[in-house]
Amino acid sequence: MAGPTESRHGMWSNRWLFVLAAAGSAVGLGNIWKFPYIAGENGGGAFVILYLLCIAFVGIPIMMAEVLIGREGRQSPINTMRHLIKQHHRHPAWVLIGWAGVAAGFLILSYYVVIAGWALYYILQMGSGALEGATAEQAGALFAEFLDSPIELIFWQTLFMVLTVYIISRGVISGLETAVRWFMPMLFLLMAVLLGYAVTSDGWSQGVEFMFRMDFDSLTPDAVLAAMGQAFFTLSLGMGAIMAYGAYVPSSASIFSTVSIIAGLDTLVAVVAGLAIFPIVFANGLEPSQGPGLMFVTVPLAFGQMPLGALFGTLFFLLVSFAAITSAISISEPALAYLVEEYNARRGRVAISLGVISWILGLGTVFSFNYWADVNVLGQPTFFDFASFVTDKVLLPIGGLFIGLFGAWALPKTVIGAQLGIDGGFRAVLWKLLAGAVAPLAVLVVFVNTLLG
Ligand code: TRP
């Protein structure tokens, strides 16, 4: 009862390259930029612990469900869902998982590219030595001035979008496989350097305490929702990105072990990023809750004070940009693969149209930091906050909820057994329990709580 063994878009060379590619998708701005500032905004401590619980009990089962479904269908998420619905006589509405994912993808890509553009800009800033010996005020002012200039933001947004479109037009597999082999290990190394600096700074113990203290009073429903949203975002879940990559996974790879490694690597990078950034925050009298700019102020500050800081700093932002590009590629893949399948279109053309649409949407985020800084969008302080809210806290968790339900209940036992390499019994029950009940219920409970709270 197993599905096809090959995808028309190509296949990962082996399971390790899938691990690297999926880790390339998961590890990105979400870990290094977003995690520290969201943790900061939500008071650290209890937030971080809740986030780790979400990764383990919601993230891992849902990621397994995405890989399982993707590998069973071996097409873009939309067509995979169509195919599985037809084959197993399920309700046609399940296909909404695919469509909602594509919509979420456009919105995520639109702001992701803007922020990734900031990282590109900082490659230059670090390289020129502009931040050498800078004080916290100077680093803050440099960033504030940058945000104030829409033209500059658009320039870097455009550059990053062009790079992304260029790579995705050439196909995911070959380009990505070469890239992730090199940059993932280098990124880990550079994070270690930054961590080493943080450990020796005055703020170390305060930073650690901030991240891991158990102040469960500060756990507002909003903080709980933020922790869950961040877990989905950082693991690239809920919109079919991992499902699309799952379609290219060789049939012999074990879903549980590959997914655990991917989630482990992603979590490691986020925790190290936090442990590198918060001590610098405290050592320099900055605010942990300062929002999206956190990384772009603290990290340049730290490198500006280190020997060989210009070199390491340049390298760091280079690697962050790289991490962002491997993530941006995966955000585009569900829509791209679908359009290629549906219209037999060339990847190049499709990639350009996709890039143009999300570039235009991205202007909303660019202006959120200057012209439209005071324009509320549907109850959110800016367009950027709105895009981020709708995706992380609504579309991704709801998408994930239904992906879990589909992977646990809508597919026949035989299919699930073959994909997970289990033959009924205890592990099959555990699967239904985690992917089909615990994870979806957790999402539901968090939502209800937020609505009531
Ligand atoms: N996980 C990536 C990060 O942390 C971003 C990302 C890539 C993503 N693909 C995604 C987020 C799909 C949500 C859905 O930076």
Side-chain angles (χ1 to χ4, degrees):
M1 255 310 257
T5 54
E6 298 272 327
S7 154
R8 64 175 276 184
H9 304 286
M11 296 290 287
W12 306 116
S13 305
N14 60 52
R15 78 185 184 106
W16 286 107
L17 284 157
F18 167 62
V19 168
L20 282 179
S25 164
V27 175
L29 297 172
N31 308 62
I32 306 168
W33 161 71
K34 205 168 197 169
F35 172 73
Y37 94 70
I38 294 189
E41 282 176 344
N42 289 286
F47 169 89
V48 174
I49 289 156
L50 216 79
Y51 160 85
L52 294 175
L53 288 175
C54 288
I55 297 273
F57 292 101
V58 183
I60 290 183
I62 305 275
M63 191 187 273
M64 289 178 67
E66 285 211 26
V67 179
L68 187 164
I69 297 169
R71 187 163 77 172
E72 182 64 21
R74 293 237 182 261
Q75 299 177 59
S76 66
I78 293 178
N79 279 329
T80 280
M81 290 308 300
R82 280 184 182 153
H83 165 78
L84 295 177
I85 288 165
K86 200 151 127 212
Q87 191 180 8
H88 303 296
H89 313 288
R90 297 301 173 209
H91 197 284
W94 284 109
V95 78
L96 286 174
I97 290 177
W99 287 108
V102 167
F106 273 103
L107 214 53
I108 295 173
L109 190 64
S110 80
Y111 73 78
Y112 205 80
V113 166
V114 175
I115 314 296
W118 300 356
L120 288 180
Y121 170 78
Y122 269 86
I123 298 176
L124 216 73
Q125 291 304 311
M126 297 305 309
S128 71
L131 284 142
E132 237 154 302
T135 61
E137 291 76 42
Q138 287 163 335
L142 184 95
F143 184 63
E145 271 167 40
F146 176 56
L147 288 190
D148 232 9
S149 164
I151 298 294
E152 279 199 63
L153 300 187
I154 291 172
F155 173 81
W156 295 102
Q157 171 207 16
T158 310
L159 185 61
F160 191 86
M161 188 58 101
V162 169
L163 287 173
T164 306
V165 166
Y166 175 74
I167 297 176
I168 58 179
S169 67
R170 315 203 33 163
V172 227
I173 308 231
S174 60
L176 207 55
E177 284 201 348
T178 340
V180 289
R181 270 198 181 115
W182 288 100
F183 108 87
M184 293 299 285
M186 275 169 58
L187 182 68
F188 286 123
L189 207 76
L190 252 272
M191 299 287 300
V193 170
L194 205 58
L195 181 66
Y197 174 81
V199 172
T200 57
S201 84
D202 294 340
W204 173 250
S205 55
Q206 227 180 325
V208 173
E209 143 103 22
F210 178 75
M211 262 181 76
F212 296 116
R213 94 203 109 96
M214 303 268 193
D215 54 339
F216 286 96
D217 304 337
S218 74
L219 269 197
T220 59
D222 279 345
V224 181
L225 183 63
M228 197 183 61
Q230 176 61 14
F232 275 93
F233 186 89
T234 191
L235 293 177
S236 307
L237 298 179
M239 60 145 290
I242 297 296
M243 201 186 286
Y245 276 15
Y248 318 144
V249 177
S251 303
S252 57
S254 151
I255 293 185
F256 176 68
S257 66
T258 47
V259 163
S260 307
I261 297 169
I262 295 159
L265 286 175
D266 183 80
T267 307
L268 186 71
V269 176
V271 170
V272 170
L275 288 176
I277 285 176
F278 288 118
I280 301 169
V281 168
F282 291 112
N284 290 280
L286 295 165
E287 283 301 312
S289 59
Q290 78 169 74
L294 190 61
M295 173 186 114
F296 292 97
V297 177
T298 54
V299 171
L301 192 60
F303 282 122
Q305 296 168 355
M306 257 181 244
L308 292 181
L311 176 70
F312 284 133
T314 311
L315 216 62
F316 177 81
F317 281 103
L318 199 69
L319 287 169
V320 169
S321 308
F322 233 95
I325 245 186
T326 54
S327 301
I329 292 169
S330 77
I331 304 173
S332 328
E333 188 61 14
L336 202 65
Y338 171 71
L339 292 168
V340 169
E341 285 162 4
E342 209 56 13
Y343 303 104
N344 244 320
R346 275 188 295 146
R347 270 186 87 95
R349 285 226 186 126
V350 176
I352 292 174
S353 339
L354 203 134
V356 170
I357 297 174
S358 48
W359 182 89
I360 295 173
L361 266 176
L363 294 176
T365 292
V366 166
F367 298 144
S368 295
F369 295 96
N370 34 70
Y371 297 147
W372 298 349
D374 301 317
V375 178
N376 288 30
V377 178
L378 298 176
Q380 296 296 317
T382 63
F383 178 89
F384 164 70
D385 290 297
F386 168 76
S388 172
F389 176 85
V390 181
T391 51
D392 304 8
K393 293 180 183 166
V394 183
L395 291 173
L396 300 180
I398 294 191
L401 186 159
F402 286 107
I403 289 170
L405 290 178
F406 191 85
W409 305 107
L411 291 174
K413 264 210 307 271
T414 46
V415 167
I416 296 175
Q419 282 295 350
L420 295 181
I422 53 181
D423 42 10
F426 170 69
R427 286 190 289 179
V429 175
L430 195 64
W431 170 247
K432 287 206 185 322
L433 191 72
L434 284 174
V438 172
L441 269 177
V443 173
L444 216 64
V445 168
V446 171
F447 268 115
V448 172
N449 231 307
T450 315
L451 288 180
L452 298 180

